[in-house]
Amino acid sequence: PIHRRGGTPRPESLGPLSLDAGGMVTQQPQPYDDGVLWCTDDGTLVVIERGETDWQRNEFYLDAQPAGRPRVHDGGIFVATAEGDLVRIDPLDIAGGGLRRTWRAFLDARPEGGLFVDGERLVVSLGEDGIAVFSTKTGEQLGRTWRSGRIVAVAAGRIWLVDRVGRLVSLDLETGLVRDRFCLGGFTFPVANHSTDRLILASPAGTIVSLKARK
């Protein structure tokens, strides 16, 4: 954009801007559309995005502490809270923008470890109480398993997790049944990948592998 004063064009400053965070923020902000979003530690979701003539700021109050970072998928923002709520938030298609809650689901245990998405399925880790799967469109619960572990990826129709003894285990996304068990060998640092469908493993020596599904 160009600012004009007395007919003389002046380029927009590229210097950093100071923004009001809306509270304490300990989780990394993330891209949203052509802007950015973050969630404060007390549950205020803040979205900064470009409007027709200027940047606009919208906020949504979760009324509870977030359990992990929000997950952006298919235009929606998904957030789990420490109180056991799971919500989808979407932008309002009106002048000035805004945010609205599209649906709300209740979890039967405290969520942890962040959210994973595969197509129209939202996967939520419930720690020692297992894993739940919800529809991204309606919030309907599609599946539930009591198998626990640290989820590291959702890919190829499977939930990939590290179990209590350090094995890499895959669960069928449809049934929740165990499909595979692997010894990780030297790759003892599996990386939780919330952004893509790749399974990422790392070793103490610094070797990193990124695995994708075979077609």
Side-chain angles (χ1 to χ4, degrees):
I2 300 295
H3 300 282
R4 299 181 180 273
R5 179 179 296 173
T8 303
R10 179 168 58 89
E12 182 180 28
S13 172
L14 299 180
L17 297 176
S18 178
L19 300 176
D20 178 10
M24 181 174 291
V25 179
T26 56
Q27 298 181 30
Q28 183 179 4
Q30 56 191 296
Y32 177 72
D33 199 8
D34 59 352
V36 64
L37 71 81
W38 65 85
C39 194
T40 66
D41 292 357
D42 62 359
T44 300
L45 181 69
V46 181
V47 175
I48 307 289
E49 55 186 334
R50 189 182 294 275
E52 293 184 0
T53 60
D54 203 353
W55 291 94
Q56 61 187 32
R57 177 191 181 109
N58 293 300
E59 297 184 353
F60 185 92
Y61 304 100
L62 298 169
D63 298 323
Q65 180 183 5
R69 295 175 67 198
R71 180 71 163 87
V72 177
H73 178 73
D74 194 26
I77 305 168
F78 301 88
V79 189
T81 74
E83 299 296 324
D85 289 333
L86 181 66
V87 297
R88 173 173 176 153
I89 301 163
D90 285 286
L92 287 170
D93 189 19
I94 59 175
L99 299 170
R100 64 178 175 86
R101 187 177 68 195
T102 302
W103 54 254
R104 178 184 186 184
F106 298 97
L107 305 172
D108 57 12
R110 182 187 176 102
E112 64 175 43
L115 304 173
F116 295 82
V117 178
D118 179 77
E120 296 185 359
R121 290 181 173 85
L122 181 67
V123 179
V124 186
S125 172
L126 302 175
E128 293 299 317
D129 291 295
I131 298 169
V133 181
F134 293 83
S135 165
T136 61
K137 299 295 185 182
T138 66
E140 176 189 2
Q141 183 168 316
L142 303 176
R144 181 74 163 84
T145 177
W146 294 97
R147 296 184 182 277
S148 63
R150 183 166 69 90
I151 301 177
V152 292
V154 176
R158 304 182 190 188
I159 302 169
W160 296 88
L161 56 88
V162 178
D163 67 13
R164 295 177 181 176
V165 297
R167 293 173 303 185
L168 182 64
V169 178
S170 75
L171 306 179
D172 190 288
L173 189 56
E174 293 283 349
T175 65
L177 299 177
V178 173
R179 294 282 298 275
D180 304 285
R181 287 189 177 93
F182 300 103
C183 175
L184 285 169
F187 292 94
T188 54
F189 291 96
V191 180
N193 182 8
H194 299 270
S195 302
T196 71
D197 61 354
R198 296 292 184 95
L199 177 62
I200 301 175
L201 305 174
S203 74
T207 303
I208 299 175
V209 295
S210 175
L211 307 175
K212 67 177 182 179
R214 291 184 298 182
K215 295 183 179 179

